[in-house]
Amino acid sequence: MENVELQKIKQRFGIIGNAPELSRAIDIAVQVAPTDLSVLITGESGVGKEVFPQIIHQFSSRKHGSYIAVNCGAIPEGTIDSELFGHEKGSFTGAYEGRKGYFEVANSGTIFLDEVAELPLSTQVRLLRVLETGEFLKVGSSNVVKSNVRVIAATNVNVQHVIQEGRFREDLFYRLNTVPIDIPPLRDRKEDINLLFRKFSVDFAEKNRMPAISLSDEAMNILANYRWPGNIRQLKNITEQISIIESKREITGEILRNYLPDYYESKLPAVYDTVDRKTFATEREILYKILFDMKNDVNDLKKLVFEIMQHGPAASEVQEGHASVIQKLYQDAQPVIPEEKIVRKFEIIKPQPENIQDTQEIFEESLSLADKEMELIIKALEKHHGKRKNAAGELGISERTLYRKIKEYNIEE
Ligand SMILES: Nc1ncnc2c1ncn2[C@@H]1O[C@H](COP(=O)(O)OP(=O)(O)OP(=O)(O)O)[C@@H](O)[C@H]1O
Ligand SMILES: [Mg+2]
């Protein structure tokens, strides 16, 4: 087909896009139009199948006849035969009058059976008969009706699957599929994505009298590489949603991502990025909390020290007034046992590698200052093999203080 003619058709039927597969599909539709052959249009949901039966009808000698589009998936199973083929008066409860079906009404015209795979098996038998003989029976009648109808069907399901599952007759499939037209998904027509976006945003802006949205380079790139499970319908919906919701007219990648379902699942690095930032935020919060608690503890301690300096450690006001502070500061300490009954020992423990693996126990660490101090003294003494001078040096205290603390904590050497 001449390119000029192709562009005219696209313009007439509102088809946007220059992908060669799309042009080829239009070409096949125009070529097959003057014949009476059945055509089956396949392709994922939202790829733009619905315009093809119209092209075929308009380019055929039937264009002055009727064009009836039937959504087979939307008609209840109980009434579909009657809708397609009509019924006689009194043929079932409630059939007070006779009725012409679409096949009779569309005589010398075209019927488009959309979502054809949804037809019940019994209806498939009737359809096969009308395709093969041009004849059918109304529901509840034995009189043969003749009709000259061109049938075009469409489906977004994998017909081979439905045949294997026994839900679609194979003979009907071959009869419908005389000429197949497959419309490619949007992800295989990347070059058309930006074109379609611009068309939808400008159309929407004009209709609603607002400035059209545009995309940053990053957003354009995201749009081009998205999976588009809902194809052109999804692209159109998203463009309209963004046009309404966003107040800014220049759409960045960050904004766009919010409108693309599953975007994060298909782009893992983006997920890690947000997780990292989150972890960092909570870590910072925890650190702030620790600093805040420490500051409070220090203030409490200052108060306590001040009171002790004024009244002496034994003063009852000090003990009563600060009982809660002392309890809070030493809440992790062991229950009080008379000091003289506790004897602490230290010994040099040799590492025993063979035992390491099967003796993994987790001890809850004490956070009491007294416990920590004692622990450090014991460690220092162990390290310096009991030499107090060296241990005191390491601990940064005088030998005398160390001596006093060994007595205080009852550490046995
Ligand atoms: N090439 C195109 N240019 C402009 N608009 C398009 C194009 N293809 C599809 N559209 C628009 O996208 C929407 C979906 O198209 P259509 O209804 O034909 O999808 P479909 O293939 O029939 O999907 P389904 O199988 O779900 O019925 C419609 O609004 C249609 O106008
Ligand atoms: Mg459709």
Side-chain angles (χ1 to χ4, degrees):
M1 199 194 301
E2 291 259 339
N3 197 33
V4 184
E5 204 188 333
L6 187 68
Q7 292 309 323
K8 265 196 201 157
I9 296 167
K10 284 181 184 170
Q11 206 173 0
R12 178 174 164 196
F13 290 92
I15 300 172
I16 307 294
N18 296 316
E21 299 91 335
L22 181 68
S23 301
R24 187 172 150 66
I26 297 170
D27 195 20
I28 297 172
V30 173
Q31 300 301 324
V32 78
T35 73
D36 272 342
L37 296 172
S38 309
V39 179
L40 181 64
I41 299 152
T42 53
E44 288 178 17
S45 180
V47 288
K49 293 185 288 297
E50 256 152 68
V51 79
F52 283 84
Q54 293 173 33
I55 297 176
I56 296 169
H57 179 70
Q58 290 302 329
F59 278 81
S60 75
S61 57
R62 297 170 179 269
K63 68 177 176 192
H64 299 297
S66 357
Y67 172 84
I68 296 180
V70 185
N71 186 337
C72 303
I75 303 171
E77 222 180 296
T79 57
I80 192 150
D81 283 355
S82 157
E83 297 238 358
L84 290 176
F85 306 105
H87 63 254
E88 290 292 356
K89 190 175 169 180
S91 57
F92 53 86
T93 321
Y96 303 114
E97 279 171 32
R99 190 208 136 136
K100 280 186 180 176
Y102 299 134
F103 271 87
E104 202 170 340
V105 175
N107 191 13
S108 77
T110 307
I111 278 191
F112 169 38
L113 298 175
D114 202 359
E115 296 192 38
V116 73
E118 303 300 319
L119 281 181
L121 283 166
S122 56
T123 313
Q124 291 177 29
V125 179
R126 285 174 183 267
L127 180 59
L128 184 62
R129 176 163 180 203
V130 76
L131 285 169
E132 284 180 338
T133 64
E135 292 175 357
F136 60 91
L137 300 174
K138 283 186 171 187
V139 175
S141 162
S142 48
N143 296 332
V144 173
V145 183
K146 269 203 164 293
S147 181
N148 171 18
V149 175
R150 175 21 148 13
V151 175
I152 301 166
T155 180
N156 58 27
V157 305
N158 183 328
V159 189
Q160 295 299 343
H161 276 176
V162 209
I163 291 172
Q164 269 162 24
E165 286 167 5
R167 287 193 288 128
F168 203 79
R169 292 182 65 106
E170 195 169 15
D171 46 9
L172 177 61
F173 169 67
Y174 287 121
R175 191 65 189 69
L176 288 172
N177 200 35
T178 317
V179 179
I181 297 181
D182 186 48
I183 317 295
L186 188 55
R187 78 187 77 87
D188 292 346
R189 291 188 251 166
K190 283 198 197 316
E191 66 265 52
D192 290 348
I193 294 177
N194 195 29
L195 219 55
L196 283 157
F197 168 82
R198 289 213 314 260
K199 168 76 175 149
F200 294 145
S201 65
V202 167
D203 281 357
F204 188 83
E206 274 175 11
K207 209 168 81 191
N208 296 282
R209 295 185 193 163
M210 50 161 71
I213 53 167
S214 61
L215 298 174
S216 71
D217 287 350
E218 192 206 0
M220 223 178 266
N221 203 22
I222 290 171
L223 213 63
N225 291 301
Y226 180 61
R227 210 164 43 84
W228 296 113
N231 293 290
I232 299 176
R233 181 183 293 119
Q234 186 188 9
L235 176 58
K236 191 174 180 182
N237 288 346
I238 283 173
T239 310
E240 295 185 348
Q241 275 173 27
I242 298 175
S243 301
I244 300 169
I245 295 167
E246 296 300 329
S247 45
K248 260 178 62 189
R249 297 286 90 182
E250 157 101 14
I251 305 304
T252 60
E254 204 182 334
I255 296 172
L256 179 65
R257 274 192 277 266
N258 297 326
Y259 291 87
L260 303 176
D262 304 339
Y263 180 82
Y264 289 107
E265 276 103 79
S266 56
K267 308 261 170 185
L268 284 176
V271 177
Y272 290 139
D273 185 28
T274 49
V275 165
D276 274 347
R277 244 181 284 158
K278 240 195 214 156
T279 318
F280 178 64
T282 43
E283 251 171 35
R284 198 168 46 188
E285 270 167 31
I286 291 167
L287 284 172
Y288 279 152
K289 168 117 182 44
I290 291 172
L291 284 173
F292 182 75
D293 287 350
M294 271 172 68
K295 198 175 156 225
N296 282 344
D297 284 354
V298 168
N299 282 340
D300 287 347
L301 272 171
K302 272 188 194 162
K303 257 192 243 159
L304 186 64
V305 170
F306 182 72
E307 302 262 325
I308 291 170
M309 277 166 66
Q310 282 201 324
H311 308 284
S316 60
E317 309 111 84
V318 175
Q319 291 189 347
E320 274 166 28
H322 294 280
S324 64
V325 174
I326 293 165
Q327 209 185 336
K328 189 180 137 211
L329 288 172
Y330 291 97
Q331 60 192 343
D332 294 319
Q334 299 290 318
V336 184
I337 300 167
E339 278 291 314
E340 56 275 21
K341 296 226 172 115
I342 310 171
V343 175
R344 282 150 182 143
K345 283 193 160 227
F346 75 88
E347 55 187 89
I348 297 160
I349 301 161
K350 290 194 186 83
Q352 293 172 299
E354 65 276 14
N355 288 335
I356 287 173
Q357 273 175 334
D358 52 358
T359 54
Q360 279 193 349
E361 278 175 49
I362 297 159
F363 297 97
E364 195 162 54
E365 197 189 1
S366 164
L367 291 178
S368 143
L369 284 173
D371 284 358
K372 284 283 167 227
E373 193 179 42
M374 193 181 72
E375 206 181 290
L376 283 173
I377 290 170
I378 292 173
K379 269 196 186 142
L381 285 167
E382 278 171 358
K383 187 174 167 191
H384 296 283
H385 308 287
K387 287 212 175 79
R388 284 191 194 170
K389 197 175 168 220
N390 296 349
E394 173 114 274
L395 289 164
I397 52 176
S398 69
E399 221 180 318
R400 246 181 34 178
T401 309
L402 179 62
Y403 180 73
R404 196 165 45 78
K405 288 201 179 284
I406 287 170
K407 278 248 144 43
E408 193 182 315
Y409 290 126
N410 230 349
I411 297 169
E412 225 179 56
E413 295 178 63

